[in-house]
């Protein structure tokens, strides 16, 4: 089986790897360089807490693969299962957390509830005003800069062809499959996987599948290095977007943070988003609620990227509804990083066997046309 994968982010490279592992002949085509789109803009959060319930089977599948990543890929992608804590500062947040924990239990996610004393005893310095928190000990973080290149390199070793800097000029459905004409030549295959991130909706539209996707860029920042004391990834349960910050400390000591700032619109050509320095004060106030000590620390870099957001915040995943041999995996709406390995594994299973043990029905590309009819 020949498969062309469009898009060299985490979804595309993971799919290329798992397809190659299943014996498919894979050509991955990336318009820039591997891992430079939404993946590199990612916070690196590997969390299941707060996910839409129907995403949890995919998230569980992915978490087990994150645990195998270093052995599987032959390099350390800095996955650390240090836990994920979400702090709570008001009764609304507490009610939301408890309702979610109850609903998620049948889906295989157990959340531990911590009181304020437990937070200060186990995680000193975090959220001194927090009244409670949820804690998921198996979750954690990984390095967004390492993971897509690692999957691409591992796929290459299994025989996949990875083509970077190739602009797609024409896509055609042929009698035997698909023909993709690019600035670096033409490629043919019986199957096509659209893993093009924020550009994925444009590709789907060429095959008569319209989906509502907005390209947006998150605002991310990182501080100077500090002594390494914060192990878990830190987030918040809140209904107020201005408080919705998150942070983690990497082993080198820097604190990476994001959230609490409106995502900027991104023009898909060239597809680069620029962090807005005027949004930084609001963001840092929200981060300081989680970690007051950050108020004394220098921010050394801010950045953004290009992510594809769906109207319902659920990805498009699975077979095309119009075109045999076409598959989609895009629109992960700013929370795809944890899912990446599971997406690649699930799509490879679906493409090569015509079935998938992980339920994907909620992510079908035609769900929007059902709603409009």
């Amino acid at each position: 089986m020949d498969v062309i994968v469009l898009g060299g982010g985490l979804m595309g490279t993971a799919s290329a790897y798992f397809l190659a592992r299943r014996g498919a002949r894979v050509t991955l085509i990336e318009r820039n360089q591997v891992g430079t789109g939404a993946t590199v803009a990612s916070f690196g959060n590997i969390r299941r807490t707060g996910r839409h319930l129907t995403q949890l089977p995919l998230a569980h599948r992915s978490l087990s693969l994150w645990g195998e990543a270093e052995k599987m890929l032959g390099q350390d992608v800095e996955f650390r299962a240090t836990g994920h804590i979400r702090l709570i500062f008001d009764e609304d947040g507490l009610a939301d957390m408890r309702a979610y924990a109850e609903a998620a239990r049948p889906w295989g996610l157990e959340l531990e509830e911590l009181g304020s004393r437990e937070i200060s005893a186990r995680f000193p310095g975090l959220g001194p005003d927090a009244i409670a928190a949820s804690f998921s000990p198996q979750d954690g973080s990984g390095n967004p800069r390492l993971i897509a290149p690692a999957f691409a390199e591992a796929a290459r070793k299994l025989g996949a062809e990875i083509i970077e800097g190739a602009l797609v000029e024409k896509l055609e459905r042929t009698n035997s499959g698909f023909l993709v004409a690019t600035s670096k030549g033409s490629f043919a295959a019986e199957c096509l996987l659209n893993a093009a991130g924020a550009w994925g909706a444009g590709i789907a539209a060429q095959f008569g599948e319209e989906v509502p996707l907005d390209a947006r860029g998150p605002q991310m920042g990182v501080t100077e290095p500090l002594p390494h004391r914060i192990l878990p990834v830190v987030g918040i349960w809140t209904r107020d977007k201005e408080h919705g910050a998150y942070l983690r400390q990497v082993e080198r000591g820097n604190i990476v943070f994001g959230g609490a700032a409106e995502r900027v619109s991104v023009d898909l050509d060239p597809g680069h988003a620029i962090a807005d320095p005027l949004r930084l004060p609001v963001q840092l106030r929200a981060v300081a609620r989680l970690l007051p000590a950050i108020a004394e620390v220098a921010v050394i870099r801010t950045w953004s990227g290009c992510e594809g957001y769906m109207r319902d915040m659920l990805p498009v995943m699975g077979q095309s509804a119009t075109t045999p041999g076409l598959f989609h995996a895009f629109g992960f709406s700013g929370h795809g990083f944890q899912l990446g390995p599971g997406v690649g594994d699930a799509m490879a299973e679906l493409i090569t066997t015509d079935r998938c043990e992980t339920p994907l029905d909620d992510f079908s590309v035609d769900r929007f046309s059902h709603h409009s009819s």
Side-chain angles (χ1 to χ4, degrees), residues 34-326:
V34 159
T36 54
T39 305
V40 83
S42 169
F43 172 61
N45 196 359
I46 296 173
R47 67 155 176 95
R48 291 165 300 159
T49 307
R51 287 195 174 279
H52 193 281
L53 297 175
T54 57
Q55 277 191 1
L56 285 174
L58 185 61
H60 297 322
R61 180 174 185 159
S62 200
L63 184 63
S64 66
L65 291 167
W66 275 108
E68 298 168 21
E70 183 171 358
K71 183 179 173 187
M72 189 168 64
L73 303 177
Q75 58 178 290
D76 180 12
V77 293
E78 296 181 9
F79 168 63
R80 303 289 184 265
T82 51
H84 181 253
I85 185 170
R86 284 180 83 160
L87 299 169
I88 300 163
F89 294 88
D90 55 46
E91 293 298 327
D92 284 346
L94 185 58
D96 291 347
M97 184 276 285
R98 286 176 173 165
Y100 182 82
E102 187 70 23
R105 194 170 291 116
W107 293 82
L109 178 63
E110 289 286 343
L111 293 182
E112 192 182 340
E113 183 177 325
L114 308 181
S116 56
R117 284 185 181 175
E118 245 179 317
I119 297 166
S120 57
R122 288 172 62 175
F123 307 108
L126 290 183
D129 298 328
I131 60 171
S134 67
F135 187 60
S136 177
Q138 289 85 33
D139 292 334
S141 62
N143 191 326
R145 295 180 171 275
L146 300 179
I147 188 65
F151 266 120
E153 184 56 32
R156 195 181 276 117
K157 286 176 180 170
L158 292 174
E161 189 176 4
I162 310 292
I163 299 160
E164 297 177 290
L167 289 175
V168 173
E169 293 164 349
K170 192 177 182 186
L171 278 177
E172 267 186 283
R173 179 83 172 89
T174 66
N175 291 335
S176 57
F178 297 87
L179 184 66
V180 182
T182 80
S183 56
K184 290 197 170 179
S186 292
F187 305 90
E190 60 190 277
C191 292
L192 180 70
L193 172 57
N194 169 18
W199 292 264
I203 292 167
Q206 291 186 50
F207 296 95
E209 298 183 295
E210 299 285 342
V211 295
L213 179 145
D214 294 314
R216 302 209 174 279
Q219 176 135 328
M220 306 301 301
V222 65
T223 71
E224 62 187 321
L226 301 164
H228 186 233
R229 293 195 183 133
I230 304 164
L231 286 177
V233 177
V234 186
I236 185 173
W237 288 96
T238 181
R239 298 178 187 178
D240 185 343
K241 284 185 179 176
E242 282 209 352
H243 288 150
Y246 43 83
L247 66 96
R248 67 185 180 94
Q249 188 173 27
V250 302
E251 287 167 5
R252 291 171 290 283
N254 312 73
I255 293 171
V256 184
F257 61 88
E262 198 67 33
R263 294 175 177 92
V264 296
S265 292
V266 185
D267 185 346
L268 287 177
D269 187 17
H272 299 306
I274 298 167
D276 180 357
L278 295 179
R279 297 169 191 234
L280 192 56
V282 171
Q283 192 173 36
L284 284 173
R285 277 197 295 276
V287 175
R289 198 178 187 206
L290 308 180
L291 180 69
I294 205 165
E296 309 298 322
V297 179
V299 174
I300 59 173
R301 188 167 73 89
T302 59
W303 70 93
S304 188
C306 186
E307 298 174 332
Y309 284 81
M310 303 302 300
R311 182 193 300 158
D312 59 6
M313 296 297 281
L314 291 175
V316 171
M317 253 185 100
Q319 295 179 349
S320 163
T322 62
T323 310
L326 174 63

